[in-house]
Amino acid sequence: MNTTLKPVALSCDDLRISFGQRTVLDGFSMHVKTGRVHALLGRNGAGKSTCFRIILGLEDRGAGTVEIFGEKLSQDNLINIGASINGPALYSHLSARDNVRIHAKLLGLGLDEVDHVLGMVGLDDEDKKKARNFSTGMKARLALAIAMLGSPPVLILDEPQNGLDPQGIVDLRGFLRSWTAQGGTVLVSSHQLGEVARLTDDITVLVDGRAQYSGPLEDFAAPGQLEEEFLRMTNPQVGHP
Ligand SMILES: Nc1ncnc2c1ncn2[C@@H]1O[C@H](COP(=O)(O)OP(=O)(O)OP(=O)(O)O)[C@@H](O)[C@H]1O
């Protein structure tokens, strides 16, 4: 599949899911364009991680369709997505290299690829330290390295800035931008709206289980106004005392 030729990398249509009495997604639709950074925004508990889990086939309750490059989600085309959600799941007794090596082996990738992704996230010198002794930022970098193994055309990252220091955030931004410049597609969730404004091309705002806005960032908010517009959309009292 030549993924760069498809205009839409990822489509979610009419996703619906409830947990007990609580309806979390209630007809949620989002189309993530190829070669763009797209941020899924919403308040705590809005359903962003649930949406990511559905896209990745980790949640089979609920209804709706997910397509990757125009094809229905399946085990075969899931290989097109690299993901880091719900914080990094790491083997705490292993080094960064050994953690990545295990995932590379599962994907049939060699040691060159392990070194490549570790170099990209600046962990190529961390050969001795065990993951249990990593700082939060180092764990986040390692999870990113694992997500990038094999250069999947789509990256899904749940709050990737969490735990990163300012330099780490700048590095991540540069790196996701170069990913999309090479034709890759990135879907992130984030509460750091200043960073979202710097990083993303498109946004979807999830409110009450539906996409209240989905489209170019510039059409949602003028420069410097993202936080204000987001608060207005997610909390109707704001701006109307
Ligand atoms: N497996 C589950 N069982 C029951 N409730 C769940 C389950 N998974 C998620 N929820 C509930 O669904 C709602 C949405 O959770 P989700 O983690 O998707 O939100 P989120 O937008 O990612 O939030 P945050 O910004 O705080 O990370 C929450 O009320 C959560 O408690």
Side-chain angles (χ1 to χ4, degrees):
M1 187 195 298
N2 189 341
T3 53
T4 53
L5 295 180
K6 308 262 183 175
V8 177
L10 199 61
S11 305
C12 306
D13 281 294
D14 202 20
L15 299 188
R16 294 171 187 275
I17 192 167
S18 300
F19 299 111
Q21 296 296 308
R22 170 140 165 62
T23 299
V24 174
L25 298 179
D26 188 17
F28 174 78
S29 298
M30 171 176 72
H31 299 145
V32 178
K33 291 184 183 151
T34 305
R36 314 264 288 181
V37 180
H38 193 119
L40 177 57
L41 307 180
R43 295 176 63 167
N44 287 131
K48 303 177 294 296
S49 301
T50 302
C51 175
F52 287 175
R53 287 205 311 278
I54 293 174
I55 292 171
L56 294 169
L58 299 172
E59 182 62 77
D60 60 359
R61 294 168 277 189
T65 51
V66 177
E67 288 185 348
I68 303 169
F69 297 110
E71 291 180 7
K72 212 159 178 241
L73 181 77
S74 73
Q75 276 184 338
D76 287 342
N77 55 30
L78 253 185
I79 193 109
N80 287 310
I81 303 180
S84 169
I85 61 167
N86 291 336
L90 305 172
Y91 296 101
S92 60
H93 60 294
L94 297 181
S95 67
R97 176 162 275 101
D98 285 343
N99 264 283
V100 178
R101 207 180 273 168
I102 287 175
H103 289 270
K105 201 164 181 188
L106 288 170
L107 292 168
L109 300 168
L111 290 181
D112 283 1
E113 181 66 8
V114 173
D115 291 333
H116 176 62
V117 293
L118 285 169
M120 284 180 89
V121 299
L123 283 179
D124 35 350
D125 290 337
E126 289 294 344
D127 212 14
K128 300 255 162 18
K129 204 183 256 188
K130 309 275 188 248
R132 75 165 71 92
N133 298 323
F134 278 16
S135 68
T136 311
M138 289 166 77
K139 288 179 185 164
R141 284 168 187 264
L142 180 50
L144 186 59
I146 292 168
M148 291 188 313
L149 273 170
S151 299
V154 179
L155 275 181
I156 297 184
L157 306 172
D158 200 1
E159 303 188 34
Q161 290 92 11
N162 278 6
L164 294 181
D165 63 17
Q167 186 61 54
I169 290 175
V170 171
D171 290 349
L172 177 67
R173 189 190 313 146
F175 174 76
L176 296 180
R177 280 258 148 242
S178 70
W179 192 269
T180 53
Q182 291 163 44
T185 303
V186 178
L187 173 62
V188 294
S189 71
S190 181
H191 293 295
Q192 300 185 29
L193 297 183
E195 182 52 24
V196 169
R198 288 186 198 96
L199 174 67
T200 62
D201 303 300
D202 300 314
I203 62 167
T204 294
V205 185
L206 175 50
V207 186
D208 295 336
R210 301 173 72 91
Q212 290 292 333
Y213 175 83
S214 196
L217 171 67
E218 66 206 28
D219 292 348
F220 180 77
Q225 300 296 305
L226 176 59
E227 182 178 82
E228 192 176 319
E229 294 299 334
F230 173 81
L231 291 175
R232 202 193 306 277
M233 184 165 276
T234 57
N235 178 5
Q237 288 101 327
V238 171
H240 305 282

